[in-house]
Short mmCIF file of all heavy atoms in Angstrom, two decimals:
data_model
loop_
_atom_site.label_atom_id
_atom_site.label_comp_id
_atom_site.label_asym_id
_atom_site.label_seq_id
_atom_site.Cartn_x
_atom_site.Cartn_y
_atom_site.Cartn_z
N THR U 215 113.77 117.10 102.75
CA THR U 215 114.81 116.23 103.16
C THR U 215 115.83 115.99 101.97
O THR U 215 117.05 116.22 102.19
CB THR U 215 114.35 114.95 103.82
OG1 THR U 215 113.47 115.20 104.88
CG2 THR U 215 115.52 114.12 104.29
N HIS U 216 115.34 115.61 100.83
CA HIS U 216 116.20 115.33 99.75
C HIS U 216 116.89 116.59 99.19
O HIS U 216 118.06 116.57 98.79
CB HIS U 216 115.34 114.75 98.55
CG HIS U 216 114.96 113.41 98.91
ND1 HIS U 216 114.67 112.50 97.82
CD2 HIS U 216 114.87 112.74 99.98
CE1 HIS U 216 114.32 111.29 98.26
NE2 HIS U 216 114.46 111.41 99.62
N ALA U 217 116.16 117.81 99.27
CA ALA U 217 116.73 119.11 98.90
C ALA U 217 118.00 119.45 99.85
O ALA U 217 118.95 119.85 99.40
CB ALA U 217 115.72 120.15 98.89
N TRP U 218 117.73 119.18 101.18
CA TRP U 218 118.88 119.52 102.09
C TRP U 218 119.98 118.58 101.77
O TRP U 218 121.17 119.01 101.91
CB TRP U 218 118.26 119.33 103.44
CG TRP U 218 119.27 119.75 104.57
CD1 TRP U 218 119.85 118.96 105.42
CD2 TRP U 218 119.69 121.13 104.84
NE1 TRP U 218 120.76 119.67 106.17
CE2 TRP U 218 120.72 120.94 105.84
CE3 TRP U 218 119.52 122.42 104.17
CZ2 TRP U 218 121.34 122.08 106.44
CZ3 TRP U 218 120.24 123.45 104.70
CH2 TRP U 218 121.12 123.26 105.83
N LEU U 219 119.79 117.31 101.54
CA LEU U 219 120.92 116.43 101.26
C LEU U 219 121.58 116.73 99.96
O LEU U 219 122.84 116.77 99.95
CB LEU U 219 120.37 114.90 101.17
CG LEU U 219 119.72 114.38 102.59
CD1 LEU U 219 119.29 113.02 102.25
CD2 LEU U 219 120.80 114.46 103.59
N ALA U 220 120.72 117.09 98.95
CA ALA U 220 121.39 117.53 97.68
C ALA U 220 122.23 118.80 97.83
O ALA U 220 123.36 118.95 97.21
CB ALA U 220 120.37 117.77 96.67
N LEU U 221 121.79 119.70 98.62
CA LEU U 221 122.44 120.95 98.97
C LEU U 221 123.88 120.61 99.45
O LEU U 221 124.84 121.15 98.83
CB LEU U 221 121.73 121.79 99.91
CG LEU U 221 122.57 122.84 100.55
CD1 LEU U 221 122.72 124.08 99.63
CD2 LEU U 221 122.06 123.33 101.82
N VAL U 222 123.97 119.89 100.42
CA VAL U 222 125.29 119.54 101.04
C VAL U 222 126.19 118.79 100.00
O VAL U 222 127.30 119.12 99.94
CB VAL U 222 125.08 118.62 102.31
CG1 VAL U 222 126.39 118.19 102.84
CG2 VAL U 222 124.32 119.32 103.29
N ALA U 223 125.54 117.83 99.25
CA ALA U 223 126.35 117.24 98.39
C ALA U 223 126.89 118.17 97.22
O ALA U 223 128.09 118.06 96.87
CB ALA U 223 125.51 116.02 97.65
N VAL U 224 126.08 119.05 96.76
CA VAL U 224 126.53 119.84 95.62
C VAL U 224 127.48 120.90 96.16
O VAL U 224 128.46 121.33 95.41
CB VAL U 224 125.41 120.54 94.94
CG1 VAL U 224 124.77 121.58 95.78
CG2 VAL U 224 125.81 121.13 93.56
N GLU U 225 127.35 121.28 97.38
CA GLU U 225 128.30 122.25 98.04
C GLU U 225 129.62 121.58 98.29
O GLU U 225 130.69 122.20 98.27
CB GLU U 225 127.72 122.89 99.31
CG GLU U 225 126.65 123.87 99.00
CD GLU U 225 126.18 124.52 100.32
OE1 GLU U 225 126.46 124.02 101.45
OE2 GLU U 225 125.53 125.54 100.28
N LEU U 226 129.65 120.23 98.55
CA LEU U 226 130.95 119.54 98.78
C LEU U 226 131.66 119.48 97.40
O LEU U 226 132.86 119.51 97.45
CB LEU U 226 130.63 118.10 99.25
CG LEU U 226 130.15 117.98 100.56
CD1 LEU U 226 129.71 116.56 100.89
CD2 LEU U 226 131.32 118.35 101.60
#
Side-chain angles (χ1 to χ4, degrees):
T215 301
H216 288 204
W218 184 249
L219 295 176
L221 163 81
V222 176
V224 73
E225 286 183 345
L226 286 171

